[in-house]
Amino acid sequence: MNFTLVATALAWGGFFGYLALRLFDTLLGIGFCLHGLLHWRWKRLASTVATGVAKPENILGLLLKLTLYTLVFAALLRFGDDLALHRLRLDYSGSGALTFFLAAAALVFIRLPATRRRLAHYWKMSHEYDYADRRRRTKMLN
């Protein structure tokens, strides 16, 4: 095991862990948005007023943003895997694989609290009444 293999495995493992975690949370965020839209539609069918639900325009904007993020993260994972396997000759077996998976797991565990906060934000944006509008007004004040 040479220095280049260790450096490649550590760098790509950390980057892979981050991208995989972000891909996972954007996919969950898309699920939250779809659930929020279904929740809004169900309330609209039950009552024409539909109070207490997030605006569908806000949910659709968040859904579009998350879909773009998902495509970018998936493409980066694919291109990075091609780069690591073919150009840098990292093989996912032996000691290189152990270094790769340890780096990926370490970065995932380090980033879990931020992911939890991000998922809570996605849920609030797609389900809580007036949360997205209040957030936009607060950002405009800064």
Side-chain angles (χ1 to χ4, degrees):
M1 186 153 123
N2 58 9
F3 176 73
T4 308
L5 178 66
V6 171
T8 303
L10 282 174
W12 173 234
F15 196 58
F16 178 86
Y18 178 75
L19 287 175
L21 189 62
R22 286 302 308 264
L23 183 66
F24 173 73
D25 75 29
T26 55
L27 287 173
L28 274 177
I30 288 172
F32 290 167
C33 289
L34 292 176
H35 182 267
L37 284 173
L38 288 174
H39 180 70
W40 172 81
R41 183 67 181 144
W42 182 258
K43 287 243 182 179
R44 283 289 286 178
L45 289 173
S47 169
T48 57
V49 179
T51 60
V53 293
K55 292 181 183 177
E57 306 88 51
N58 296 334
I59 298 173
L60 288 173
L62 181 64
L63 183 63
L64 177 66
K65 186 173 89 170
L66 289 176
T67 303
L68 289 175
Y69 283 163
T70 301
L71 293 174
V72 167
F73 294 143
L76 284 174
L77 277 173
R78 178 70 183 134
F79 294 141
D81 189 48
D82 281 345
L83 176 72
L85 283 178
H86 300 295
R87 301 251 174 136
L88 301 176
R89 294 186 179 94
L90 174 68
D91 189 17
Y92 295 115
S93 63
S95 56
L98 179 65
T99 309
F100 168 79
F101 288 118
L102 285 177
L107 200 97
V108 164
F109 284 122
I110 289 170
R111 298 294 302 169
L112 273 179
T115 300
R116 187 188 58 76
R117 287 191 304 271
R118 192 176 299 113
L119 288 174
H121 170 71
Y122 295 157
W123 181 266
K124 288 178 182 178
M125 288 284 284
S126 63
H127 285 77
E128 284 189 17
Y129 175 70
D130 202 36
Y131 180 81
D133 293 329
R134 283 183 288 142
R135 182 175 166 83
R136 185 175 39 244
R137 286 191 301 265
T138 303
K139 282 187 173 185
M140 287 172 47
L141 289 175
N142 292 335

